[in-house]
Amino acid sequence: GMVLPLETSCIKRDDFPKLLKWSIAGITALIATFGVCGYAAFGSHTQAPVTLNLDGGVASFVKLALCVALYLTYPVMFFPVWLVAPFSAPMRVAAVVGTASVAFAVPSFGKFLGLVGASICTLLGFIIPAVFHIKVFHHDAKGGEGGLKKWELMFDYFLVAFGVHVVFGILGTYDSFMSLVNHTDGKGVD
């Protein structure tokens, strides 16, 4: 959602794809390093979120810092929405209060987010881009001029099948839904 507004605000738009790739690689490396360090420090008893594993003043400081970061970055998430459909100030307040009310009203909001991430985010990340790629670029079913190459088409079909069957349908959504309903820890159904 933030890629297009960031690209339009770049001085040198031609450098944006390179910058985006390096940024994603850096963020991925940081998240992977943080996850490995958390697992190395706490072992198989690591709780999610990792801040639940911390004790004392450090834990309070980290939790406070995360709350401040969330508070300050929350409006950034709405930035693309305001660009596409500019709302008045009361509508913006209503959007913030509405999303905060949902977060407060759902008892196991972390598990609810797991369900949303396993279903909707997988749909947005795997299935829809592959389907759009097929629909937009597959002009010639035989892979001729202007059409997708056979390996590109097979890769798109693999992403759709992988997203639907493995991540979206079977594993992610089922496990997240069952952990939400049964109040388990998300490590399988009891």
Side-chain angles (χ1 to χ4, degrees), residues 55-69:
D55 292 327
V58 173
S60 298
F61 175 74
V62 169
K63 291 176 185 177
L64 178 66
L66 287 172
C67 288
V68 169

Side-chain angles (χ1 to χ4, degrees), residues 12-37:
K12 297 179 183 178
R13 285 191 183 178
D14 295 338
D15 294 339
F16 183 75
K18 181 179 169 185
L19 175 67
L20 181 64
K21 288 175 189 174
W22 279 106
S23 299
I24 290 174
I27 290 169
T28 302
L30 283 173
I31 290 172
T33 303
F34 187 75
V36 168
C37 290

Side-chain angles (χ1 to χ4, degrees), residues 14-183:
D14 295 338
D15 294 339
F16 183 75
K18 181 179 169 185
L19 175 67
L20 181 64
K21 288 175 189 174
W22 279 106
S23 299
I24 290 174
I27 290 169
T28 302
L30 283 173
I31 290 172
T33 303
F34 187 75
V36 168
C37 290
Y39 188 79
F42 303 109
S44 62
H45 302 292
T46 305
Q47 299 176 15
V50 75
T51 54
L52 294 176
N53 298 294
L54 303 174
D55 292 327
V58 173
S60 298
F61 175 74
V62 169
K63 291 176 185 177
L64 178 66
L66 287 172
C67 288
V68 169
L70 180 62
Y71 177 75
L72 295 176
T73 58
Y74 189 72
V76 175
M77 298 301 138
F78 278 110
F79 182 68
V81 176
W82 308 144
L83 287 177
V84 173
F87 292 109
S88 63
M91 287 297 292
R92 292 180 184 201
V93 170
V96 171
V97 169
T99 54
S101 299
V102 169
F104 183 73
V106 176
S108 300
F109 191 67
K111 294 176 184 177
F112 176 73
L113 283 182
L115 178 63
V116 170
S119 56
I120 303 302
C121 293
T122 304
L123 183 69
L124 291 174
F126 288 102
I127 300 167
I128 292 177
V131 169
F132 281 5
H133 190 240
I134 292 169
K135 292 290 184 186
V136 170
F137 294 107
H138 190 58
H139 302 295
D140 185 4
K142 296 179 177 107
E145 187 78 26
L148 291 174
K149 296 180 177 90
K150 191 170 192 164
W151 71 268
E152 292 174 322
L153 190 61
M154 299 313 300
F155 186 68
D156 284 338
Y157 286 138
F158 168 76
L159 286 177
V160 171
F162 179 75
V164 169
H165 296 295
V166 176
V167 178
F168 177 69
I170 297 172
L171 298 177
T173 303
Y174 179 76
D175 190 51
S176 296
F177 180 75
M178 294 309 287
S179 69
L180 182 65
V181 170
N182 296 332
H183 303 292

